[in-house]
């Protein structure tokens, strides 16, 4: 029985060998760059010494976690990370959904293709290039300040004032990610039964009513899953754009956990401390992900697991 089952499995593998070959590279990527590096979290619990290595460096226990919790920067970087993520979620999350709903109502193929191409394109632009564009647009001689002067207003050094930083970050994130993220919702929209929409039309439902009572409920599971995943990433805000845009005068609102880790860990050579902060950040993210998933499963019966 066992031998027969083994032979059957081998036959299936041979039959689908090209599919397994396609799966091999993504698996190898995650193993090499996501799972194997997890071994390095022991650095957070050690007095890491490059010469001695991870295994032979002396243990420090929870010393660096306590150090971070008592650090004067702790509340500042946690608050900035949390607020910037929340603003990005509140303003940025609905945009791809709305964009997908609007695109779904465009029935002229050429127009739809042009809109999709224009909205998808920013996703493929490097973060460095995006930040360069932001700096150029907001410079003294940039487009924004030139327009302000033409309207009789004074120039504003937007990147030098902390009160503008979060807004600039959120707006640029929406511009860069909304189009690409909308693909998920457009895919969900293709699964809607056309007969249901036709029945709603026959019953006298207008376009807005069809969107509210047929289309939105149909893509609600996809929206819920994406919301759960975004909630899990609240404390793991990417540092690249912040690092390229912030400066000493905007630290008050721009300095986040990831940039603080970069300064202390890479620039300050405090690897154990930086690893402890990163682990703390990841644990909070896991807690948020599990909590959001549990709440979603109770309220809507939609969850990741």
């Amino acid at each position: 029985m066992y031998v027969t089952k083994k032979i059957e499995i081998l036959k299936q593998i041979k039959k689908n060998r090209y599919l397994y070959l396609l799966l091999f590279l993504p698996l190898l990527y995650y193993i090499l760059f996501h799972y194997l590096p997890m071994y390095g979290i022991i650095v957070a619990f050690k007095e890491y010494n490059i010469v001695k290595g991870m295994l032979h460096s002396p243990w420090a226990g929870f010393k660096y976690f306590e150090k971070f919790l008592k650090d004067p920067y702790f509340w500042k970087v946690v608050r900035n990370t949390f607020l910037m993520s929340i603003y990005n979620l509140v303003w940025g999350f609905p945009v791809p959904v709305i964009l997908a709903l609007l695109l779904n109502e465009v029935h002229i193929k050429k127009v739809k293709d042009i809109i999709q191409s224009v909205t998808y394109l920013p996703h493929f632009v490097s973060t460095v290039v995006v930040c360069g564009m932001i700096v150029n647009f907001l410079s003294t001689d940039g487009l924004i300040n030139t327009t302000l002067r033409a309207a009789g207003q004074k120039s504003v050094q937007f990147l030098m004032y902390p009160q503008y930083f979060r807004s600039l970050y959120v707006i640029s994130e929406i511009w860069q990610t909304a189009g690409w993220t909308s693909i998920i919702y457009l895919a969900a929209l293709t699964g809607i039964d056309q007969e249901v929409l036709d029945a709603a039309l026959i019953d006298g439902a207008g376009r807005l009513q069809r969107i509210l009572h047929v289309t939105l409920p149909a893509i609600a599971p996809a929206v819920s899953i994406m919301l759960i995943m975004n909630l899990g990433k609240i404390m793991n805000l990417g540092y690249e754009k912040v690092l390229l845009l912030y400066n000493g005068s905007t630290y008050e609102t721009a300095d986040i956990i990831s940039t603080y880790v970069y300064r202390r860990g890479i620039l300050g050579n405090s690897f154990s401390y930086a690893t402890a902060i990163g682990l703390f950040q990841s644990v909070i993210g896991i807690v948020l992900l599990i909590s959001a998933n549990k709440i979603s499963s109770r309220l809507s019966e939609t969850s990741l697991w």
Side-chain angles (χ1 to χ4, degrees):
M1 182 73 177
Y2 174 76
V3 176
T4 307
K5 192 174 181 180
K6 191 174 180 180
I7 291 170
E8 186 63 30
I9 291 171
L10 289 172
K11 283 182 179 179
Q12 287 296 321
I13 292 173
K14 186 177 180 181
K15 181 182 177 182
N16 301 299
R17 59 187 180 278
Y18 295 114
L19 293 175
Y20 286 116
L21 191 62
L22 286 172
L23 185 64
F24 174 73
L25 288 176
L27 279 176
L28 185 65
Y29 165 78
Y30 278 100
I31 290 169
L32 290 177
F33 298 104
H34 290 270
Y35 287 99
L36 287 180
M38 288 175 69
Y39 175 72
I41 64 173
I42 65 169
V43 173
F45 304 95
K46 290 198 168 193
E47 293 282 0
Y48 179 66
N49 186 294
I50 295 177
V51 178
K52 294 180 179 179
M54 284 191 292
L55 293 177
H56 299 98
S57 295
W59 288 96
F62 291 94
K63 171 186 172 181
Y64 291 105
F65 293 94
E66 294 174 4
K67 184 180 178 181
F68 179 53
L69 292 173
K70 293 176 182 177
D71 195 309
Y73 275 93
F74 173 76
W75 288 112
K76 179 190 284 187
V77 294
V78 169
R79 182 196 66 202
N80 288 343
T81 304
F82 183 77
L83 286 177
M84 209 175 296
S85 294
I86 288 294
Y87 292 159
N88 199 35
L89 187 65
V90 170
W91 295 106
F93 184 79
V95 174
V97 181
I98 295 168
L99 179 62
L101 292 172
L102 292 174
L103 282 170
N104 192 54
E105 296 299 316
V106 178
H107 300 295
I108 304 172
K109 190 176 184 304
K110 284 187 178 180
V111 175
K112 189 173 183 177
D113 289 344
I114 291 169
I115 295 171
Q116 286 181 299
S117 299
V118 170
T119 54
Y120 295 169
L121 187 61
H123 171 78
F124 299 99
V125 179
S126 165
T127 302
V128 176
V129 175
V130 171
C131 292
M133 290 168 64
I134 293 171
V135 171
N136 286 331
F137 285 150
L138 299 176
S139 66
T140 306
D141 298 321
L143 178 64
I144 304 299
N145 278 314
T146 302
T147 306
L148 286 175
R149 287 195 297 271
Q153 303 295 320
K154 292 182 179 179
S155 297
V156 179
Q157 294 292 337
F158 291 98
L159 293 175
M160 299 301 292
Y161 292 97
Q163 63 266 33
Y164 294 124
F165 190 87
R166 290 174 187 152
S167 299
L168 293 172
Y169 179 88
V170 172
I171 291 168
S172 63
E173 277 292 296
I174 292 172
W175 175 76
Q176 196 172 7
T177 62
W180 187 253
T181 309
S182 69
I183 293 174
I184 297 168
Y185 305 115
L186 284 168
L189 286 168
T190 59
I192 298 174
D193 191 344
Q194 187 60 40
E195 290 183 1
V196 177
L197 291 169
D198 293 339
L201 184 61
I202 292 169
D203 289 340
R207 180 171 292 183
L208 183 59
Q209 290 175 315
R210 293 198 302 275
I211 290 172
L212 293 175
H213 300 292
V214 179
T215 309
L216 270 178
I219 66 169
V223 174
S224 299
I225 294 297
M226 291 299 294
L227 182 59
I228 292 168
M229 293 176 70
N230 277 276
L231 286 170
K233 295 188 291 184
I234 278 180
M235 298 303 290
N236 290 291
L237 194 69
Y239 74 96
E240 295 93 347
K241 188 176 291 182
V242 177
L243 191 67
L244 290 166
L245 290 177
Y246 82 159
N247 53 67
S249 62
T250 57
Y251 275 4
E252 182 184 340
T253 58
D255 199 16
I256 59 175
I257 294 175
S258 298
T259 53
Y260 184 62
V261 168
Y262 171 77
R263 290 203 310 276
R264 292 301 300 266
I266 305 300
L267 302 182
N269 295 321
S270 183
F271 299 109
S272 295
Y273 187 45
T275 306
I277 298 171
L279 183 57
F280 168 83
Q281 188 178 10
S282 298
V283 169
I284 297 299
I286 290 170
V287 171
L288 288 171
L289 179 64
I290 293 171
S291 302
N293 188 70
K294 195 163 188 179
I295 292 169
S296 178
S297 64
R298 287 187 176 182
L299 295 178
S300 65
E301 297 183 356
T302 301
S303 61
L304 288 172
W305 61 83

